Amino acid sequence: MSTPTLSAPSLPAPPRRWLWWTMLIALIAVAQTWLVWLTMDFQASRQQQRVDAITAELAAQLRHRLFIDTQRLAALADSTQPSGEWRREAAALLLSQRELLRVERRDASLKVIGAVDNPLHKPLFSVLPRDQLDFATQSACIAARRAGEPQYSQSYFVPLGNGLGEEVMDLCAAQVSDAHLTGYLVGSISLGALLESVESPDLARNHEISFVEGDGTRIVRTGSPHGAGVFVADRVVGVPGHSLQLHVDSAAGRPGVIPNLSTALVLGLSLLLFGVVLVLAHDMRRRSRAERALGESLAFRKAMEDSVLAGLRARDMQGRVTFVNQAFCDMVGYTPGQLLGRGEERYWPEVAAAPGGRPGSQGQEAEFVSNAGRRFPVMIHESPLLDADGRQTGWICTALDLSAQRRIEDVSRLQQERLQATARLATVGEMASLLSHELNQPLSAITSFAAGSINLMNDPQGAAEPPLLLQAMERIAEQSERAGRIIRSVQDFVRRREHERLPIEADLLVEAILPLVRMQARRSSARVEVHVAQPAPRVLCDRTMIEQVLINLARNGIQAMESCVQEPEPLLRIEVFPLGNGLVEFAVVDRGPGVGEELRAQIFTPFFTTREEGMGLGLSLCRTVIEQHGGSLDFDNLLDATGRVTGARFRFTLTAAPRRRAQAASQEGHDA
Ligand code: ADP
């Protein structure tokens, strides 16, 4: 079974979506840039920290190395070895401390009295003689003697030929024996070798390590690469008498933007991806919730469609059936497969014949024919089927099988008819006494005329008076006929059973009931007046029923007048006049006590009566009959100038029927 699109409230337009997207993209760009900058900054500071740490470590090692050198030299200075022994010890020292290139012995006047060069190194003063490079050494020795501890000299450059040379720093220790200066011991330390002695190969690969002067001039350097000059650190290595400035320069340059950018991009995109996944997950959850809700509502709808008693059917704009529910299928006796995608000619022959007329939402009665050929009345309500955008995609209609309702209506009509018949019989019963009273008159007249006739015939003279006899016979005939009429009028009334609605002149209706009404009025000594507008209006009605209504109202009026004294005389008026709006009004006016305020609400209730012999059905029947005719029955009290109730007026309306042609023509002539 296909499901038609049902109308849904259209969603509000998304508010400036492009603005949100622009903002999102800008936000991502800013976040990415910031991320790159942060990463680079972080990398740089990490690198700088590393260089700082390396420098501090190197400085500490250098200090330690120089301290060892100082100790060893001081130990050598303290010994008073003979020359040969001293040379051996000095050579051993030079071998263990690679940075020491040469050890000298000097006398108290600073004159070199013996020297040992490092065998692993080219002799220091082979190009320039020692005495030409002696100033710094002597200053250190003087300072050492003064300070009473070994002192370091300023560094100086010792050329070694071929453009090569060695930056050297001397360590001078004074030799004191019994508080007398006996001489000095001088060790020449190569700054280059000193640096190499502390650096590790790992360090040397990535850093340029050097000693610099105060103005930044590099004195010696080690390490394979050249420093990039970005991550640099300086440390002062203080030694007695002198201080060296250690300079470490990392070969690493500034953190590159590109690798960081790609990292950031990857990171950012991953974040974005994560965000998208979160959004998707959220969306999925919402979707599945919506699907569940949809499923539930679909199940609910299905249950509703299947349990609803009215048939539901949807059609597209071309008139093809797109949906039917179970009730509809049951009603017409076709399966959904036999109905879907087709027109409605199968079960609705009228529409197939005349597709123009469509039932609206107000409803329209039609007749369906079921698959089995059963014809049954249906009430159809149809309304447009709108999609989510409010466009009409077809029609949806509900069809209600009226057969059951019709059956109930038939039964109730039958019951009503029976009730009316009963009420009529009751009225007739009531009339029986009236009838006997009424027949009394003609019968006694007949009796007396008959007796007179017999007398005349017995009297030989009288027999000779044929005119008198004839008159008597005529009277007898008249009275018999009158009696017969009286009986017939009752018979007519009781027997009339046809229930056709036919046009009839209002005066004929009134005339038909007049004998009965007058009969009753005579008994109550009331007068009956009839006023029917001329020409008499024609009404469309079930004649018997309306006569019954008129009789009931007239009888009620006469009975009401019996209960009180009327001024100047009891009078019942029956009036008929057209209202001009396609309706004709009938009024029965009496001079009775009127309907009391307390009775107003009840008099139309079945079996409500204030009369001892009453049944209380008259007015309720009258109202039913008039309403079945599409009219209304009402009443009001008549008042005189002082506001006193002078009677009651019961009136009802009936639909006017077109006049007969001859009558209409005569009316036109009359108007002209
Ligand atoms: P019933 O005539 O058998 O009593 P109805 O249904 O005809 O039953 O009337 C119900 C009641 O309405 C009457 O008993 C009476 O009290 C009141 N009624 C009817 N017609 C009139 C009238 N013309 N004037 C005053 N009261 C009336």
Side-chain angles (χ1 to χ4, degrees):
M1 201 181 290
S2 80
T3 306
T5 337
L6 293 172
S7 69
S10 57
L11 296 169
R16 302 197 185 172
R17 188 163 281 171
W18 62 268
L19 193 76
W20 291 112
W21 276 111
T22 314
M23 272 168 69
L24 181 69
I25 290 166
L27 212 71
I28 289 173
V30 168
Q32 292 280 34
T33 314
W34 198 48
L35 199 68
V36 170
W37 184 83
L38 269 183
T39 315
M40 283 169 63
D41 190 55
F42 175 72
Q43 281 179 352
S45 71
R46 280 289 300 275
Q47 189 70 29
Q48 184 62 47
Q49 275 171 8
R50 204 156 47 238
V51 173
D52 284 344
I54 287 168
T55 313
E57 171 68 19
L58 277 177
Q61 283 184 23
L62 280 171
R63 241 177 256 124
H64 181 68
R65 191 82 194 180
L66 288 171
F67 176 71
I68 302 279
D69 286 347
T70 314
Q71 294 279 305
R72 299 289 293 273
L73 198 78
L76 202 62
D78 281 350
S79 64
T80 49
Q81 313 276 357
S83 171
E85 197 64 22
W86 175 83
R87 277 185 159 289
R88 243 191 341 272
E89 275 190 30
L93 175 65
L94 287 173
L95 277 178
S96 71
Q97 304 297 102
R98 297 273 189 81
E99 67 276 16
L100 271 176
L101 298 185
R102 172 188 164 99
V103 180
E104 290 173 351
R105 253 180 138 179
R106 297 196 179 203
D107 61 11
S109 63
L110 289 168
K111 193 158 159 261
V112 179
I113 52 172
V116 182
D117 279 295
N118 195 318
L120 303 174
H121 200 273
K122 192 174 176 187
L124 253 190
F125 299 106
S126 53
V127 176
L128 267 185
R130 175 63 163 135
D131 50 356
Q132 281 190 18
L133 297 163
D134 208 26
F135 174 73
T137 319
Q138 288 184 13
S139 307
C141 286
I142 293 163
R145 197 191 67 210
R146 270 199 218 119
E149 60 169 6
Q151 294 286 316
Y152 285 90
S153 75
Q154 294 285 339
S155 69
Y156 55 91
F157 185 76
V158 182
L160 291 174
N162 295 335
L164 296 173
E166 195 77 54
E167 187 73 19
V168 171
M169 175 178 77
D170 285 341
L171 169 62
C172 185
Q175 286 181 309
V176 180
S177 172
D178 300 334
H180 286 289
L181 179 77
T182 55
Y184 298 93
L185 209 62
V186 175
S188 297
I189 299 168
S190 158
L191 291 186
L194 182 68
L195 278 184
E196 277 164 12
S197 71
V198 293
E199 64 156 37
S200 65
D202 202 32
L203 222 89
R205 248 200 315 280
N206 301 318
H207 297 83
E208 179 185 341
I209 305 161
S210 55
F211 284 123
V212 293
E213 286 180 346
D215 60 358
T217 315
R218 196 189 299 128
I219 308 170
V220 286
R221 68 172 284 277
T222 172
S224 36
H226 281 281
V230 179
F231 302 109
V232 293
D234 287 275
R235 270 286 156 127
V236 172
V237 184
V239 285
H242 183 45
S243 57
L244 292 164
Q245 189 166 342
L246 180 69
H247 180 79
V248 178
D249 190 348
S250 169
R254 274 192 191 290
V257 172
I258 298 302
N260 276 299
L261 195 67
S262 43
T263 314
L265 264 176
V266 168
L267 215 77
L269 288 179
S270 326
L271 276 178
L272 207 71
L273 212 68
F274 184 64
V276 168
V277 166
L278 277 185
V279 168
L280 274 179
H282 179 69
D283 195 53
M284 287 278 282
R285 248 206 356 256
R286 232 183 39 194
R287 226 164 239 270
S288 70
R289 228 180 292 145
E291 266 169 19
R292 219 172 31 243
L294 195 71
E296 275 167 19
S297 75
L298 270 179
F300 176 71
R301 208 190 82 170
K302 179 94 180 65
M304 211 165 67
E305 281 163 4
D306 289 348
S307 65
V308 81
L309 292 177
L312 290 175
R313 181 205 58 189
R315 290 175 307 122
D316 61 14
M317 297 305 281
Q318 284 73 46
R320 284 185 302 259
V321 175
T322 55
F323 164 79
V324 282
N325 72 343
Q326 196 51 48
F328 193 88
C329 294
D330 294 347
M331 198 185 289
V332 296
Y334 289 99
T335 61
Q338 289 172 313
L339 296 174
L340 291 174
R342 292 167 174 268
E344 45 200 8
E345 71 285 349
R346 293 189 147 224
Y347 48 86
W348 200 354
E350 283 92 323
V351 166
R358 297 254 45 96
S361 58
Q362 304 299 316
Q364 179 187 307
E365 272 198 47
E367 195 173 59
F368 275 5
V369 184
S370 78
N371 196 9
R374 180 177 74 96
R375 282 182 170 259
F376 58 98
V378 281
M379 172 60 85
I380 293 180
H381 293 261
E382 188 150 58
S383 46
L385 195 62
L386 305 178
D387 68 6
D389 302 326
R391 268 195 314 266
Q392 185 179 353
T393 58
W395 299 89
I396 180 116
C397 99
T398 58
L400 258 177
D401 188 347
L402 296 181
S403 324
Q405 194 182 331
R406 283 292 140 79
R407 263 199 303 280
I408 293 170
E409 276 172 13
D410 286 350
V411 168
S412 96
R413 200 171 40 245
L414 254 163
Q415 281 174 342
Q416 202 122 51
E417 270 168 22
R418 262 186 229 135
L419 200 63
Q420 279 171 14
T422 313
R424 230 173 7 244
L425 281 177
T427 312
V428 171
E430 223 173 278
M431 276 175 197
S433 65
L434 188 70
L435 202 64
S436 61
H437 170 83
E438 207 47 40
L439 285 178
N440 242 354
Q441 268 191 349
L443 284 180
S444 51
I446 289 170
T447 312
S448 57
F449 279 125
S453 303
I454 291 169
N455 286 344
L456 273 178
M457 283 193 283
N458 284 340
D459 180 359
Q461 287 175 357
E465 290 287 342
L468 264 181
L469 204 57
L470 191 68
Q471 253 179 4
M473 285 302 155
E474 275 170 3
R475 291 288 169 273
I476 289 173
E478 260 173 33
Q479 290 303 320
S480 324
E481 197 167 323
R482 187 179 157 205
R485 257 203 326 271
I486 290 170
I487 292 168
R488 241 190 338 273
S489 71
V490 177
Q491 265 178 347
D492 273 1
F493 175 69
V494 178
R495 279 198 193 137
R496 208 177 285 150
R497 281 197 170 276
E498 71 276 16
H499 297 292
E500 270 177 306
R501 277 186 204 175
L502 295 170
I504 183 167
E505 276 72 24
D507 51 357
L508 293 184
L509 284 173
V510 177
E511 271 165 28
I513 59 144
L514 261 183
L516 284 172
V517 174
R518 282 199 202 285
M519 228 190 274
Q520 193 150 26
R522 235 188 329 272
R523 205 166 78 160
S524 310
S525 330
R527 204 153 62 76
V528 179
E529 258 181 25
V530 175
H531 178 78
V532 180
Q534 284 308 318
R538 267 153 69 82
V539 289
L540 198 65
C541 68
D542 176 344
R543 175 176 184 170
T544 319
M545 301 274 228
I546 297 305
E547 283 175 4
Q548 174 75 40
V549 169
L550 281 170
I551 286 175
N552 271 332
L553 294 180
R555 197 193 58 204
N556 276 353
I558 293 166
Q559 282 168 349
M561 289 191 289
E562 283 170 0
S563 64
C564 68
V565 183
Q566 294 81 33
E567 295 293 335
E569 56 168 347
L571 173 69
L572 185 85
R573 267 174 74 83
I574 299 174
E575 300 170 355
V576 184
F577 48 91
L579 285 181
N581 53 356
L583 295 176
V584 175
E585 182 167 291
F586 290 72
V588 179
V589 188
D590 64 56
R591 286 187 177 171
V595 182
E597 202 59 44
E598 68 288 353
L599 300 181
R600 280 181 164 266
Q602 304 179 62
I603 58 168
F604 288 107
T605 317
F607 303 109
F608 173 80
T609 181
T610 54
R611 294 189 303 114
E612 260 172 36
E613 70 283 16
M615 288 227 338
L617 281 172
L619 283 181
S620 113
L621 271 172
C622 289
R623 178 169 266 191
T624 312
V625 168
I626 296 301
E627 283 174 359
Q628 275 176 354
H629 276 76
S632 60
L633 172 63
D634 214 346
F635 71 92
D636 52 6
N637 284 339
L638 301 177
L639 306 173
D640 67 5
T642 61
R644 196 171 57 90
V645 177
T646 59
R649 174 168 54 197
F650 282 75
R651 55 208 160 101
F652 61 87
T653 52
L654 287 179
T655 316
R659 278 193 224 131
R660 279 205 194 111
R661 217 174 299 149
Q663 200 181 14
S666 82
Q667 172 66 19
E668 271 158 31
H670 185 76
D671 289 347

